């Protein structure tokens, strides 16, 4: 590889998802350089259909990073959600229950578009369509990344590597066996998701517990609905015609007072598998994992993107401290700081999942127990507050000595 073109930077970042892009921009705001390496094309990253619910803390962080302009114009602020069970709806007033917090509905790929544009405007370096990405000397103080691009070989020398390459990336598996432990749970169901060209049936999201299985009504814009149905994990999309999907959705959202979903052309459909996964620690020597590379949550709480944002918030501050003063204390505690929040969010996502889905081994006892639990949330302010605090988002955790007792603001 003597022919490789040599590049150098402070932090080499792998993956142009929300984690890698936001990290790269936060580092830039701290005066720290990075090069971001992405396997796919820019177009692929900017059009991938993913979730679309941003916690208050994620919205605040994007705004403070200067990435919030279009989100403020086009994002839909929701002050509540509906829990539907026993064929009745129960609204949770998130805003009131959390002293003024809310969620914003804004598609993940729109966040990605905004961050890519912001990086290029600021002269940021992103290499799309990079092949054969490999790490070298990650246990030394000068790790290197090699990759191919446009028929040429490149080598980046850096101080640190940030592995933001998602669940199927290479970063996590570059850590030697024995240096990291994985915790994992697979669920015996999946979600069939559609985008439909039709105004959502309600202004707010509806989470429905139905004896035929969970269903969720969400949206992307006032004219585009996003709907999900619990299905078999090995479900074949080919057996789900558009009319069968609508028929099943109608059944799972039906109420005693003749609620009707709006029906329209289906623009896109796909299956999302459901798992919980945590890598501990999220660091090996000079390699730091962030986002889906380190953890996966089932989509029921819409937490994936928000966890990624919380990780890179912590990581950017830790790099800032290291570059400013040579102090590695925050970097050393990166994993511990993130994992405190990650496990709480794991619990919330698992809890929401367990409360709404029909489990294949479940029986009528389990269904009645779920209905009782949902009944508690609908009638107890304490239980509703617990759900609302977690749904709108826990504080982006800080190391203990910097932790604040009230909701922190994200001063950069
Ligand atoms: N080399 C370079 N890039 C890679 C490689 C590789 N070997 N492997 C994967 N990537 C890229 C992927 O193409 C993708 O663009 O890394 C990126 C990872 O992005 P995401 O999967 O979006 O992960 P993350 O940024 O952590 O965002 C978390 O994304 O998966 C959703 O539900 C999840 O909402 C959550 C969010
Ligand atoms: C979505 O709009 O894609 C969405 C919303 C809420 C969830 C999961 C996904 O819990």
């Amino acid at each position: 590889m003597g022919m490789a073109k040599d590049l150098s930077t402070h932090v080499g970042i792998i993956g142009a998802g929300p984690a890698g892009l936001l990290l790269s921009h936060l580092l830039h705001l701290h005066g720290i350089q990075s090069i971001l390496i992405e396997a796919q094309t820019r177009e692929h990253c900017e059009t991938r259909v993913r979730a679309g619910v941003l916690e208050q803390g994620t919205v605040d962080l994007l705004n403070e990073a200067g990435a919030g302009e279009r989100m403020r114009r086009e994002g839909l602020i929701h002050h509540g959600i509906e829990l539907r069970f026993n064929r009745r709806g129960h609204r949770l007033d998130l805003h009131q229950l959390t002293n003024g917090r809310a969620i914003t509905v804004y598609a993940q790929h729109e966040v990605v578009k905004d961050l890519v544009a912001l990086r290029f405007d600021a002269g940021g370096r992103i290499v799309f369509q990079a092949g054969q990405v490999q790490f070298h000397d990650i246990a030394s103080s000068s790790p290197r990344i090699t990759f191919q691009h446009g028929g040429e070989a490149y080598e980046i020398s850096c101080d640190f590597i940030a592995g933001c390459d998602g669940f199927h990336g290479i970063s996590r598996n570059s850590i030697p066996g024995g240096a990291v432990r994985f915790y994992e749970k697979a669920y015996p169901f999946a979600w069939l998701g559609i985008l439909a060209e039709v105004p959502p049936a309600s202004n707010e999201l509806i989470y429905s517990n139905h004896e035929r299985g969970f269903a969720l009504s969400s949206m992307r814009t006032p004219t585009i609905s996003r709907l999900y149905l619990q299905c078999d994990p090995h479900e074949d999309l080919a057996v789900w015609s558009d009319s069968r999907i609508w028929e099943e959705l109608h059944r799972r959202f039906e109420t005693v007072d003749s609620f009707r979903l709006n029906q329209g052309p289906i623009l896109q459909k796909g299956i999302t598998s459901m798992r919980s996964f945590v890598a501990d620690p999220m660091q090996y020597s000079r390699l730091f994992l962030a986002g889906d590379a380190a953890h996966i949550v089932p989509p029921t709480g819409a937490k994936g993107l928000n966890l990624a944002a919380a990780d890179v918030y912590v990581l950017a501050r830790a790099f800032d401290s290291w570059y400013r003063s040579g102090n590695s204390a925050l970097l050393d505690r990166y994993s511990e700081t993130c994992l405190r929040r990650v496990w709480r969010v794991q619990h919330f996502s698992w809890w929401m999942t367990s409360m709404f889905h029909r489990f294949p081994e479940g029986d009528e006892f389990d269904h009645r127990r779920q209905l009782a639990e949902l009944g508690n949330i609908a009638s107890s302010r304490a239980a509703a507050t617990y759900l609302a605090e977690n749904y709108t988002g826990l504080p982006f955790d800080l190391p203990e000595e910097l932790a604040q007792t009230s909701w922190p603001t994200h001063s950069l």
Side-chain angles (χ1 to χ4, degrees):
M1 286 288 260
M3 304 284 286
K5 299 197 169 185
D6 293 326
L7 305 168
S8 81
T9 193
H10 292 135
V11 182
I13 303 177
I14 314 299
L21 289 163
L22 184 55
L23 176 64
S24 159
H25 194 63
L26 294 175
L27 292 179
H28 164 73
L29 297 175
H30 287 302
I32 301 167
Q33 294 169 20
S34 65
I35 301 178
L36 202 161
I37 306 299
E38 164 61 49
Q40 303 289 338
T41 64
R42 176 176 179 177
E43 214 228 322
H44 179 93
C45 296
E46 292 185 346
T47 53
R48 224 170 358 202
V49 178
R50 292 273 181 79
V53 173
L54 308 183
E55 294 175 356
Q56 185 71 55
T58 304
V59 168
D60 294 346
L61 180 60
L62 289 169
N63 277 327
E64 280 160 44
E69 200 239 333
R70 199 162 62 93
M71 173 184 71
R72 283 195 299 279
R73 259 186 295 123
E74 297 177 14
L76 308 171
I77 296 177
H78 287 197
H79 285 172
I81 54 171
E82 181 183 321
L83 309 183
R84 189 169 289 189
F85 56 99
N86 272 335
R87 291 170 175 68
R88 288 175 205 277
H90 303 264
R91 180 173 189 266
L92 284 194
D93 191 331
L94 301 173
H95 198 250
Q96 206 184 54
L97 290 163
T98 62
N99 297 319
R101 294 162 69 80
I103 53 156
T104 297
V105 173
Y106 189 62
Q108 178 169 318
H109 70 266
E110 304 295 350
V111 173
V112 166
K113 266 190 225 165
D114 296 346
L115 287 168
V116 170
L118 197 62
R119 287 312 297 129
F120 282 135
D121 283 351
R125 291 188 283 178
I126 306 178
V127 180
F128 287 101
Q129 294 185 279
Q132 291 174 255
V133 179
Q134 287 181 334
F135 301 158
H136 311 270
D137 305 331
I138 49 172
S140 81
S141 59
S142 48
R144 290 171 297 118
I145 304 166
T146 54
F147 63 97
Q148 303 276 325
H149 177 71
E152 308 244 33
Y154 292 83
E155 177 172 306
I156 303 176
S157 314
C158 47
D159 301 322
F160 299 99
I161 299 175
C164 304
D165 49 353
F167 187 66
H168 302 285
I170 58 157
S171 298
R172 189 179 60 250
N173 294 324
S174 307
I175 300 177
V180 61
R181 176 161 181 194
F182 303 139
Y183 299 84
E184 187 161 18
K185 181 177 285 294
Y187 296 88
F189 38 73
W191 283 10
L192 192 166
I194 62 164
L195 270 183
E197 199 172 349
V198 65
S202 159
N203 290 331
E204 294 179 341
L205 272 60
I206 305 171
Y207 286 81
S208 182
N209 174 306
H210 190 274
E211 62 271 18
R212 295 179 64 84
F214 171 67
L216 170 61
S217 166
S218 179
M219 66 200 69
R220 286 295 172 269
T221 69
T223 55
I224 304 281
S225 298
R226 176 82 170 143
L227 294 137
Y228 298 97
L229 282 175
Q230 174 185 350
C231 65
D232 189 86
H234 309 292
E235 196 75 62
D236 178 8
L237 255 189
V239 304
W240 285 89
S241 65
D242 290 6
S243 62
R244 180 172 170 212
I245 291 173
W246 282 117
E247 193 188 319
E248 190 63 27
L249 284 168
H250 285 304
R251 295 173 83 161
R252 295 195 195 178
F253 283 107
E254 76 188 350
T255 62
V256 288
D257 39 19
S258 62
F259 166 92
R260 215 41 212 163
L261 276 182
N262 300 322
Q263 189 168 328
I266 295 181
L267 304 172
Q268 197 262 358
K269 43 182 146 170
I271 306 248
T272 308
S273 65
M274 308 268 288
R275 62 151 64 84
S276 303
F277 177 90
V278 179
D280 180 356
M282 293 166 56
Q283 173 200 4
Y284 173 72
S285 187
R286 294 274 175 140
L287 169 64
F288 292 82
L289 304 177
D292 277 17
H295 40 68
I296 295 284
V297 287
T300 323
K303 293 303 183 199
L305 165 62
N306 297 293
L307 266 185
D311 288 350
V312 300
Y313 167 72
V314 174
L315 189 53
R317 286 180 57 119
F319 280 137
D320 177 57
S321 168
W322 194 87
Y323 280 102
R324 254 198 305 183
S325 61
N327 184 346
S328 69
L330 296 191
L331 278 177
D332 294 341
R333 260 170 303 152
Y334 167 72
S335 179
E336 176 200 320
T337 305
C338 289
L339 286 173
R340 259 203 305 273
R341 190 173 193 281
V342 165
W343 276 112
R344 293 224 219 152
V345 174
Q346 286 290 359
H347 173 259
F348 178 70
S349 303
W350 166 87
W351 178 59
M352 289 285 283
T353 303
S354 72
M355 211 160 34
F356 279 100
H357 291 76
R358 194 188 164 87
F359 285 71
E361 73 276 18
D363 54 19
E364 195 48 31
F365 179 91
D366 295 307
H367 191 226
R368 296 294 162 123
R369 181 180 44 74
Q370 285 180 329
L371 296 177
E373 189 164 23
L374 287 161
N376 267 328
I377 294 165
S379 59
S380 154
R381 190 175 171 99
T385 302
Y386 174 76
L387 195 153
E389 282 174 350
N390 282 272
Y391 197 81
T392 57
L394 298 172
F396 282 18
D397 242 348
L398 295 173
E400 234 116 45
E401 79 275 21
L402 292 179
Q404 300 168 19
T405 47
S406 56
W407 302 110
T409 57
H410 306 287
S411 52
L412 291 170

